[in-house]
Amino acid sequence: ILSVRPGGLNEFIPPPECPVFEPSWEEFADPFAYINKIRPIAEKTGICKIRPPPEWQPPFACDVDRLKFTPRIQRLNELEAQTRVKLNFLDQIAKFWELQGCTLKIPHVERKILDLYQLNKLVNEEGGFDAVCRERRWTKISVKMGFAPGKAIGSHLRAHYERILFPYNLFQTGANLPVRHYSSSSNCPYEGKSHEKTASSIQRWLHQIFFIPLVFVDHYMCLVCGNGTAEDRLLLCDGCDDSYHIFCLIPPLHDVPKGDWRCPRCLAQECGKPPVAFGFEQASRSYTLQAFGDMADSFKSDYFNMPVHMVPTELVEKEFWRLVSTIEEDVTVEYGADIASKEFGSGFPVKNGHFEITPEDEHYLSSGWNLNNMPVLDGSVLTHITADICGMKLPWLYVGMCFSSFCWHIEDHWSYSINYLHWGEPKTWYGAPGYAAEHLESVMKKLAPELFESQPDLLHQLVTIMNPNTLMNNGIPVIFRTNQCAGEFVITFPRAYHSGFNQGFNFAEAVNFCTMDWMPIGRSCVDHYRELSRYCVFSHDEMVCNMACKAELIDVDLASVVQKEMTVMVQEEKKLRDKISKMGVLQSRQVDYEVLPDEERQCCKCRTTCYLSGITCVCSPGKMVCLHHPQDLCSCPHGNLTLHLLCFRYRSGGGKSQSQNELTVEELRSFVQQLDKLPCNIRQAPLLKDLLNRVDDFQQHSERLLSDESPSPLELQDLLDVSLGLDVELPQLPLLRERLEQARWLEAVQQASGRPETLCLDTMRRLIDQGVGLAPHSSVERAMARLQELLTVSEQWEERVLALIEARPYHSIETLDNALQEVGTIPAYLPNCLQLKDVVTKAKKWLHEAEALQLGGRIPVLDSLSELVLRAEGLPVWLEPLSRLEALVSDVQSWKESAAKTFLLKNSSFSLLEVLCPRCDVGSGHQKAKSKKVKEPAQISKKTSTKLDSVCDVERALSESKDSASAVRQREMETLLALRASNESKLLSAESCSALSVCVCQKAPSGAMVQCELCREVFHSSCVTTAADLEYGQAWLCPLCQRSRKPPLDKVLPLLASLQRIRVRLPEGDALRFLIERTVQWQHRVQQACTDGVLEKVTDKVNTVKMSNGASSLKKEGVNGQSKKNKRRKESSDSEHSKKAKKSHKKKSKKSKERSEESKRASSPSHTSSDPAASDSEEDFSLCAAPWCREPEGDEVNWVQCDGSCNQWFHQVCVGLSAERAEIEDYICISCTQPDYDRD
């Protein structure tokens, strides 16, 4: 049913549609009855679709928030069997040529990639390369490959085959393996040529040193011809170092390969390794449902270039089958398959689930079409399997995207399956009826035999797909299809092969079920699995025996089927045991079923689960075989084997064999009494009396234990063990078994309650579930009530605590602590409550540290403050001090940004702390830029500089004593003076300018030069910013000395004042304070020099030296300006008494200031006895206590008094305060803010 496109590509033709059923509400009420009704029609197609009544719309109950899965990766062109065969063939060809030192390049013929697999297959079918060439069939092969006749394509195909495939086929047949023949009649083409044999260099060296005689042999010998001639044509194997002539190989090579080359033997060894079994890889990332949906929708819309809901299903279907059949396009998708519903919750609502269901939807909980209920309905035989099998008894979830597929397969144990699409885009299905299963398997093995050779159970791996058109063209009677839309069921019938793919993003759920008509099919499946050595998911015999034990509870029709199954099972077992007995296996022993783990009951040959019997040998402990494979266990004589009889299912609860012919206790007692009355001695009479005595003891002991409120499980078990030796019908046995189960459960509850640190919610739920199935008893009911109450309280507190932790805004620590006190009385392991305890402990510790940080008026350090704020971010608690601390950190960051704008140059490489600290690395930048030839200045700099190791050293030096600060300043000055002397001596001692290396370019002086005012290095005007660009009177500094801006002091003082108000200590603040003090001290020294006339004397000496006029005039202007300022200040002091009333003081009257004038004058660091103005005026500028007093002048000079401990007065302008701020806020000076900090 293939049609051909105009382009020549095969177009997919959709198979016929499968039956679609729409049951009424009456039919829909009983799922198995309806499925049995439609079975005669639906099983002929293998699959069918059921549309529920329109009103049946169950809510989607899956826990979407917790659902996180890792999908499988599917490469579409590896899914199709024939395409994968071609890809595997190409991989083998590529590996073959790679080991031969060549890279495979697939040729193009008629603008199409040449199908090497088809070409190789057709040539082999025609008899091989020699036969095709001899009979000139290349044109015939080209026509079979789809090329038009008459274009001489055959010659091209022959050339490509001979070059690429012929050597590979020779390797496959072993014809390329070398045959050694070292006779004189060698066929080496170089044999007749003259060739002088000379000793190698190694041989000559051995002869000269050790006097070893020369042996004239060829260094490398061809293993085929045995000659070492034509060394340029000798190939050395990169695997074994054997040598071959390229013309001696089969087939011969024309040239020496460029890459690594392997000889024929190494090639056979490397390519003979078994291939790795094909399977899907897991994706590298996990998805939530939302994330997977976004990815899936994006993929589909990008692929088809249209919105996802507008892509026709027919287009997606044809494109899917085109992609899986081509090797040129590599499309990869992901599929979230086989996700356990037990872990994330089913899409259907379930009892005791997390999904809150409305009253009108409660009927979905018990609906037979709820996939959680269907496997365990009364009509399903899977109910009698004790284990919860994921995918069979517990549903699996499937999250699909466009092109994600499920390959051809049948269900485990050939069971039914039912699939429900909760929501999303359709799922396309293909199915074949069960009677065509063997035919379909044979067709796939015929079309892709290479795959089944390496994986005989390939179709059970769910990794192979094949085009339905191809299957139907090869004799499969019929294949059906359907599009399953949201809200629809698809049912597959026993042994019905099915496959399909998803049209887009969707969510489906599937599970297996088995009705009584499946029973004989299931037994046939076990026999089939035995032939394939495939693992059984469950034991079919065990299920039949479980059903037989409950014969009085099952339906009559089902009981009839079970009886037939039991008959078949017993007959087969009897036949196999007779066979084993005839083989010589005489030893046997009974083994309890529960004692043996599942892996020890598995036949090591066919992997079938042994249930009724098995064979072991002492030589192979832990191994067992079924009765079909006794010869595959070991090589020991059959007499050493032991037959294990695993037939405890035919015993009662105590392990006793049940029989309707057993005597009752009263019958036994009557029989013994009759024996006593006989007029003769019966030899067995004492045995019967002993039996009766033991039965009486058993009954008395039983009554005592049954009357006990809480009997010991050990005593009950011992009593049941005693019953094994009593061949009498004991009515107490059922009660004893019930009490044993109850006692074991009560013991488990007591043990769990005795360890509250391990009693989690899951343990409580498990114990309650176990207790529900127990027979009623007062002790059990009390324990259940206590356990249920504890579970309810624990669940409520877990939810409440989780709500407290996740609440926004956060709760206070008092609220959380109160909740923690109440939780502490619950004797259970509650993860959320433990998390709350940890949170409260950390919060209390944080509050204690936050309180200690500012205790006693301490000023916190920025690092401690930041670390505290960072820790608080991870605590889900409302912490009262946090907002204040965050505000402090924010203020400090703002202050640092403001200081950086004030001091740092644009794009500066220095940090603010490096700029503010004294320079301890003076000269290092200069030395790095200089040539290694200038050694003497470098040595001077090395001797004079003692660079601090890090910024931390500078910070520590600033925060230490007065001597340390002086040492830092002294070290800076010494280093700077040494650098100056070095640069000046370099200029003076140079004999010629051409020998000097100056400037940043390290070249000789030339043209206009400028000199740095600080380091005295000279620079070319063209290399640096020259003095012409500076303002008048500004000193020029070189790029290495110009580290920062130089803001005026009146801009710097407000920075220090604002930092004092923040009351957080940071290294930059200490450095700024140290810098301001140095600046003020320098001003006072200049002032003192002006007063003493020292500066005028220095100026006179400078004028005698021929220096730059600009620098001299600058210094004079500075001296004159300072003298005028002093004069103005002195003159203005006479008028200050008349202006006292105009000066604003903060909080204190002028009288109080006058009373403390003497103490202030003594404490003022700027007061000197040489200043005559200090004794003439009470309001002199020297009364300001600021070390950097700016000595303001004018009609009004505003003052402020420290509110700390010193009570000193300051000019407001000297401490960076405005009159308005001084009236509003308290002011605390530096000395009171940092009492431990000593100013220099």
Side-chain angles (χ1 to χ4, degrees):
I1 61 174
L2 289 174
S3 66
V4 181
R5 295 181 184 177
L9 295 176
N10 293 331
E11 183 175 355
F12 178 76
I13 302 300
E17 293 289 326
C18 74
V20 180
F21 299 96
E22 297 182 358
S24 63
W25 273 110
E26 292 76 12
E27 294 173 322
F28 196 71
D30 189 344
F32 289 159
Y34 184 71
I35 293 172
N36 189 55
K37 178 180 179 180
I38 66 175
R39 181 164 57 87
I41 300 173
E43 68 180 356
K44 295 178 181 179
T45 60
I47 63 172
C48 71
K49 183 166 66 175
I50 296 178
R51 291 196 184 107
E55 297 82 7
W56 196 85
Q57 296 180 355
F60 184 64
C62 183
D63 192 347
V64 177
D65 296 331
R66 287 198 308 123
L67 178 58
K68 194 171 186 180
F69 60 94
T70 302
R72 300 169 180 171
I73 297 176
Q74 294 182 335
R75 297 177 179 88
L76 297 186
N77 59 4
E78 292 182 358
L79 296 178
E80 214 277 333
Q82 293 176 295
T83 309
R84 195 192 309 161
V85 170
K86 293 181 180 180
L87 290 174
N88 292 343
F89 178 77
L90 291 178
D91 287 341
Q92 295 172 4
I93 293 290
K95 184 177 182 180
F96 169 80
W97 283 112
E98 181 183 0
L99 293 173
Q100 294 282 22
C102 304
T103 302
L104 174 64
K105 295 182 179 179
I106 302 177
H108 287 67
V109 177
E110 291 289 304
R111 298 181 181 179
K112 294 191 303 182
I113 295 178
L114 178 60
D115 190 342
L116 294 177
Y117 172 78
Q118 186 182 12
L119 175 61
N120 184 72
K121 185 176 181 180
L122 290 175
V123 171
N124 290 339
E125 290 175 354
E126 293 292 333
F129 178 71
D130 293 336
V132 174
C133 292
R134 185 172 56 254
E135 299 178 12
R136 302 177 182 274
R137 299 180 186 173
W138 289 106
T139 302
K140 178 181 178 182
I141 290 177
S142 67
V143 173
K144 285 186 176 182
M145 294 186 68
F147 296 105
K151 291 189 177 182
I153 301 299
S155 59
H156 293 291
L157 296 181
R158 172 180 176 171
H160 292 317
Y161 183 93
E162 187 173 11
R163 181 174 59 87
I164 299 175
L165 298 176
F166 183 59
Y168 175 74
N169 284 319
L170 287 177
F171 157 72
Q172 290 290 89
T173 59
N176 68 328
L177 293 176
V179 178
R180 302 189 182 187
H181 41 85
Y182 295 158
S183 64
S184 59
S185 60
S186 173
N187 59 353
C188 178
Y190 284 81
E191 183 182 358
K193 299 183 180 180
S194 62
H195 177 66
E196 182 181 358
K197 298 181 179 180
T198 60
S200 66
S201 59
I202 297 178
Q203 290 175 317
R204 295 184 183 278
W205 180 78
L206 292 173
H207 173 69
Q208 295 172 2
I209 302 300
F210 301 104
F211 301 101
I212 297 176
L214 292 175
V215 180
F216 292 93
V217 296
D218 295 311
H219 190 57
Y220 292 109
M221 306 288 290
C222 175
L223 293 186
V224 178
C225 66
N227 291 326
T229 57
E231 292 183 355
D232 59 333
R233 301 295 184 92
L234 270 176
L235 277 177
L236 186 64
C237 175
D238 291 293
C240 64
D241 290 339
D242 286 347
S243 304
Y244 297 84
H245 285 120
I246 60 174
F247 44 77
C248 291
L249 295 171
I250 304 174
L253 299 180
H254 299 289
D255 298 305
V256 177
K258 297 181 180 179
D260 292 344
W261 179 82
R262 297 292 191 279
C263 68
R265 284 188 174 83
C266 293
L267 190 64
Q269 183 178 2
E270 193 71 26
C271 293
K273 295 179 180 178
V276 179
F278 176 77
F280 296 134
E281 303 174 13
Q282 291 294 109
S284 58
R285 61 163 292 188
S286 297
Y287 289 90
T288 61
L289 204 56
Q290 178 66 37
F292 189 86
D294 294 340
M295 180 274 296
D297 290 341
S298 176
F299 168 83
K300 184 176 181 180
S301 61
D302 292 344
Y303 189 91
F304 291 100
N305 198 23
M306 65 178 75
V308 293
H309 62 280
M310 295 181 63
V311 184
T313 57
E314 296 82 3
L315 175 61
V316 178
E317 185 175 26
K318 291 183 179 181
E319 183 64 14
F320 172 78
W321 289 112
R322 186 190 70 82
L323 289 174
V324 300
S325 61
T326 178
I327 62 174
E328 290 85 1
E329 296 186 45
D330 186 11
V331 176
T332 301
V333 296
E334 298 179 13
Y335 190 20
D338 300 342
I339 303 171
S341 63
K342 187 176 183 179
E343 183 177 355
F344 302 107
S346 168
F348 290 97
V350 295
K351 296 179 180 179
N352 301 323
H354 295 284
F355 181 77
E356 296 183 3
I357 191 167
T358 59
E360 56 270 17
D361 291 336
E362 286 184 354
H363 65 279
Y364 292 109
L365 294 172
S366 56
S367 172
W369 294 93
N370 184 327
L371 298 194
N372 297 279
N373 302 330
M374 182 170 282
V376 294
L377 292 177
D378 292 338
S380 174
V381 299
L382 295 182
T383 309
H384 303 281
I385 298 176
T386 56
D388 288 336
I389 306 171
C390 287
M392 289 203 73
K393 289 185 66 177
L394 298 177
W396 261 340
L397 311 178
Y398 297 86
V399 184
M401 64 176 291
C402 183
F403 298 146
S404 63
S405 62
F406 49 102
C407 302
W408 285 109
H409 70 286
I410 49 181
E411 299 300 320
D412 290 331
H413 289 259
W414 298 352
S415 60
Y416 287 85
S417 76
I418 182 168
N419 185 293
Y420 181 74
L421 188 63
H422 285 279
W423 47 259
E425 299 189 60
K427 187 188 293 282
T428 301
W429 291 73
Y430 305 95
Y435 64 82
E438 293 183 0
H439 194 176
L440 185 143
E441 292 172 359
S442 63
V443 168
M444 292 191 72
K445 291 177 182 179
K446 172 188 172 183
L447 296 178
E450 299 87 347
L451 298 182
F452 288 89
E453 288 175 2
S454 58
Q455 288 180 274
D457 61 342
L458 180 66
L459 291 177
H460 294 286
Q461 307 300 323
L462 280 77
V463 293
T464 305
I465 204 167
M466 186 170 281
N467 196 314
N469 295 167
T470 304
L471 294 174
M472 296 179 70
N473 286 337
N474 283 272
I476 302 298
V478 65
I479 289 179
F480 296 88
R481 72 171 303 281
T482 190
N483 284 331
Q484 178 191 16
C485 299
E488 296 178 343
F489 290 97
V490 168
I491 294 179
T492 68
F493 285 78
R495 210 183 181 186
Y497 270 98
H498 53 279
S499 66
F501 67 93
N502 296 289
Q503 294 274 344
F505 179 45
N506 58 26
F507 189 100
E509 186 169 356
V511 78
N512 294 106
F513 65 93
C514 298
T515 54
M516 61 183 179
D517 62 274
W518 163 86
M519 295 283 286
I521 301 175
R523 180 165 296 278
S524 301
C525 177
V526 174
D527 296 335
H528 182 73
Y529 281 1
R530 183 181 295 112
E531 295 175 2
L532 294 178
S533 297
R534 187 169 187 268
Y535 171 73
C536 295
V537 178
F538 60 89
S539 172
H540 188 88
D541 290 341
E542 176 189 4
M543 182 189 67
V544 173
C545 291
N546 288 343
M547 297 170 71
C549 290
K550 302 176 182 178
E552 68 279 0
L553 301 177
I554 61 178
D555 181 73
V556 175
D557 295 332
L558 181 57
S560 175
V561 175
V562 172
Q563 189 270 335
K564 294 179 182 178
E565 282 292 302
M566 287 289 294
T567 302
V568 173
M569 182 177 67
V570 171
Q571 290 176 351
E572 182 180 6
E573 182 70 15
K574 184 176 182 299
K575 183 175 66 174
L576 290 172
R577 291 190 184 185
D578 291 342
K579 176 182 174 183
I580 294 299
S581 178
K582 292 178 181 179
M583 290 175 57
V585 180
L586 303 177
Q587 303 180 59
S588 65
R589 65 188 182 97
Q590 294 184 347
V591 179
D592 287 343
Y593 184 90
E594 288 91 345
V595 175
L596 290 179
D598 289 346
E599 58 271 13
E600 292 187 13
R601 294 190 299 109
Q602 190 179 98
C603 175
C604 60
K605 172 62 178 177
C606 64
R607 302 180 70 184
T608 302
T609 303
C610 299
Y611 182 74
L612 294 179
S613 56
I615 297 178
T616 62
C617 183
V618 292
C619 74
S620 305
K623 292 181 63 178
M624 179 180 289
V625 293
C626 64
L627 270 59
H628 292 272
H629 304 102
Q631 67 279 3
D632 295 304
L633 178 60
C634 62
S635 58
C636 297
H638 293 162
N640 294 357
L641 304 181
T642 302
L643 176 63
H644 286 234
L645 304 178
L646 310 172
C647 55
F648 89 104
R649 286 294 180 183
Y650 299 111
R651 304 182 178 195
S652 64
K656 176 177 108 42
S657 177
Q658 292 293 319
S659 173
Q660 295 181 356
N661 298 323
E662 288 179 347
L663 294 175
T664 65
V665 177
E666 295 303 324
E667 290 173 342
L668 177 62
R669 193 181 307 278
S670 175
F671 184 66
V672 170
Q673 290 174 356
Q674 291 176 8
L675 286 177
D676 291 338
K677 295 178 181 179
L678 291 176
C680 62
N681 292 327
I682 304 299
R683 187 179 54 176
Q684 291 83 5
L687 297 177
L688 291 176
K689 291 180 180 180
D690 178 67
L691 175 61
L692 181 59
N693 292 333
R694 288 189 286 121
V695 170
D696 290 338
D697 292 340
F698 174 83
Q699 288 183 329
Q700 293 175 5
H701 198 182
S702 300
E703 291 176 1
R704 183 178 61 82
L705 288 179
L706 292 174
S707 61
D708 192 354
E709 185 69 18
S710 55
S712 169
L714 185 59
E715 292 183 4
L716 289 170
Q717 183 62 53
D718 292 340
L719 193 59
L720 287 173
D721 292 340
V722 170
S723 69
L724 296 176
L726 303 177
D727 296 328
V728 181
E729 184 178 341
L730 301 171
Q732 294 86 357
L733 287 180
L735 294 176
L736 288 174
R737 286 196 297 270
E738 290 181 359
R739 293 307 304 273
L740 178 60
E741 293 179 355
Q742 295 169 354
R744 286 176 175 173
W745 183 81
L746 289 171
E747 186 179 34
V749 171
Q750 184 178 2
Q751 291 177 354
S753 302
R755 297 192 300 269
E757 66 278 0
T758 61
L759 183 58
C760 61
L761 298 180
D762 290 338
T763 302
M764 294 185 222
R765 296 190 186 103
R766 178 175 55 82
L767 289 173
I768 291 175
D769 291 341
Q770 294 174 355
V772 169
L774 298 176
H777 192 270
S778 58
S779 59
V780 174
E781 293 174 356
R782 287 195 299 270
M784 281 283 289
R786 290 194 299 269
L787 201 58
Q788 186 63 54
E789 181 183 5
L790 179 60
L791 176 62
T792 303
V793 172
S794 299
E795 288 178 338
Q796 290 175 351
W797 269 109
E798 278 287 87
E799 295 177 359
R800 180 178 172 186
V801 167
L802 183 62
L804 288 174
I805 294 175
E806 295 180 350
R808 297 295 184 277
Y810 295 140
H811 289 285
S812 65
I813 190 171
E814 291 79 11
T815 303
L816 299 183
D817 199 17
N818 293 336
L820 189 61
Q821 297 300 326
E822 298 183 40
V823 170
T825 60
I826 300 177
Y829 172 76
L830 306 177
N832 292 342
C833 298
L834 291 178
Q835 182 183 358
L836 177 64
K837 182 178 180 181
D838 182 62
V839 167
V840 170
T841 302
K842 290 181 179 179
K844 288 182 178 179
K845 181 180 178 181
W846 188 92
L847 290 172
H848 177 72
E849 293 181 8
E851 182 181 357
L853 195 65
Q854 295 180 316
L855 188 64
R858 295 180 185 175
I859 297 180
V861 181
L862 177 60
D863 292 341
S864 302
L865 196 63
S866 300
E867 190 267 340
L868 206 59
V869 172
L870 185 62
R871 281 169 46 198
E873 293 178 357
L875 297 177
V877 187
W878 180 74
L879 302 169
E880 183 180 2
L882 179 59
S883 58
R884 184 171 68 254
L885 297 184
E886 288 177 338
L888 282 177
V889 174
S890 177
D891 292 343
V892 170
Q893 294 300 330
S894 301
W895 183 89
K896 290 175 70 173
E897 292 175 2
S898 177
K901 291 179 181 178
T902 303
F903 283 96
L904 295 185
L905 296 170
K906 187 177 181 180
N907 300 326
S908 174
S909 61
F910 298 103
S911 67
L912 178 62
L913 184 58
E914 291 174 325
V915 165
L916 296 177
C917 288
R919 294 184 61 185
C920 299
D921 58 344
V922 176
S924 61
H926 298 71
Q927 298 303 323
K928 291 178 183 177
K930 293 183 180 181
S931 172
K932 294 181 180 179
K933 297 180 180 179
V934 188
K935 296 182 179 179
E936 184 177 354
Q939 293 174 356
I940 296 174
S941 175
K942 183 176 181 181
K943 291 179 181 179
T944 57
S945 67
T946 56
K947 181 180 177 181
L948 295 179
D949 293 336
S950 65
V951 175
C952 296
D953 295 336
V954 177
E955 178 185 348
R956 186 170 58 254
L958 292 178
S959 61
E960 288 175 357
S961 63
K962 174 179 179 179
D963 295 335
S964 297
S966 300
V968 172
R969 195 166 57 243
Q970 183 66 24
R971 204 155 48 236
E972 180 185 33
M973 292 302 298
E974 290 175 357
T975 307
L976 180 59
L977 292 174
L979 179 62
R980 279 187 171 187
S982 172
N983 290 336
E984 290 175 349
S985 63
K986 176 181 67 175
L987 296 174
L988 295 176
S989 61
E991 297 179 358
S992 63
C993 292
S994 60
L996 287 176
S997 295
V998 297
C999 190
V1000 293
C1001 63
Q1002 290 296 296
K1003 295 182 180 179
S1006 62
M1009 306 292 292
V1010 292
Q1011 190 174 31
C1012 176
E1013 191 72 20
L1014 186 61
C1015 66
R1016 301 302 188 191
E1017 177 67 291
V1018 293
F1019 298 83
H1020 300 104
S1021 300
S1022 59
C1023 294
V1024 295
T1025 303
T1026 60
D1029 301 329
L1030 303 175
E1031 298 179 1
Y1032 176 74
Q1034 185 176 357
W1036 183 82
L1037 300 180
C1038 67
L1040 300 176
C1041 294
Q1042 186 72 29
R1043 294 162 55 92
S1044 67
R1045 305 178 190 271
K1046 295 187 178 297
L1049 192 59
D1050 57 355
K1051 288 186 177 181
V1052 178
L1053 288 174
L1055 280 176
L1056 186 61
S1058 61
L1059 182 60
Q1060 293 171 358
R1061 289 192 296 272
I1062 297 175
R1063 292 183 64 79
V1064 176
R1065 184 172 179 187
L1066 64 160
E1068 290 85 354
D1070 292 346
L1072 179 62
R1073 186 180 298 106
F1074 184 70
L1075 177 63
I1076 292 176
E1077 290 180 0
R1078 291 183 62 192
T1079 303
V1080 171
Q1081 289 169 7
W1082 182 84
Q1083 287 180 341
H1084 284 296
R1085 286 197 295 273
V1086 172
Q1087 174 188 340
Q1088 187 66 33
C1090 293
T1091 304
D1092 297 341
V1094 176
L1095 194 58
E1096 286 79 358
K1097 296 177 183 179
V1098 175
T1099 303
D1100 294 339
K1101 290 183 179 182
V1102 171
N1103 288 336
T1104 60
V1105 183
K1106 293 184 178 180
M1107 297 291 289
S1108 173
N1109 293 333
S1112 300
S1113 61
L1114 179 62
K1115 293 178 181 178
K1116 289 179 181 179
E1117 183 177 343
V1119 172
N1120 294 337
Q1122 187 66 38
S1123 301
K1124 291 178 182 179
K1125 182 177 180 181
N1126 290 339
K1127 183 176 180 181
R1128 285 197 305 270
R1129 288 169 55 196
K1130 192 170 184 179
E1131 290 173 354
S1132 65
S1133 64
D1134 297 335
S1135 61
E1136 290 187 4
H1137 285 287
S1138 61
K1139 299 176 181 178
K1140 292 178 183 179
K1142 297 181 181 180
K1143 297 179 180 180
S1144 76
H1145 295 261
K1146 181 187 176 196
K1147 296 183 182 180
K1148 296 190 178 181
S1149 63
K1150 185 63 186 175
K1151 292 181 180 180
S1152 63
K1153 178 180 180 301
E1154 291 173 353
R1155 286 195 299 268
S1156 59
E1157 176 185 347
E1158 295 300 327
S1159 62
K1160 295 187 185 70
R1161 184 181 296 115
S1163 63
S1164 175
S1166 60
H1167 176 74
T1168 57
S1169 58
S1170 61
D1171 190 353
S1175 58
D1176 296 340
S1177 174
E1178 294 178 354
E1179 296 294 319
D1180 190 72
F1181 62 88
S1182 62
L1183 293 177
C1184 177
W1188 49 81
C1189 179
R1190 302 172 62 190
E1191 301 169 4
E1193 299 175 359
D1195 295 338
E1196 288 190 6
V1197 179
N1198 296 328
W1199 294 76
V1200 64
Q1201 187 178 23
C1202 174
D1203 291 297
S1205 59
C1206 66
N1207 294 325
Q1208 297 185 99
W1209 287 88
F1210 300 84
H1211 294 124
Q1212 292 182 4
V1213 70
C1214 294
V1215 294
L1217 282 178
S1218 63
E1220 293 79 6
R1221 185 179 292 275
E1223 291 293 338
I1224 298 172
E1225 298 180 357
D1226 291 343
Y1227 168 71
I1228 301 176
C1229 68
I1230 299 174
S1231 300
C1232 297
T1233 304
Q1234 300 282 347
D1236 298 330
Y1237 182 79
D1238 296 324
R1239 297 190 309 273
D1240 187 15

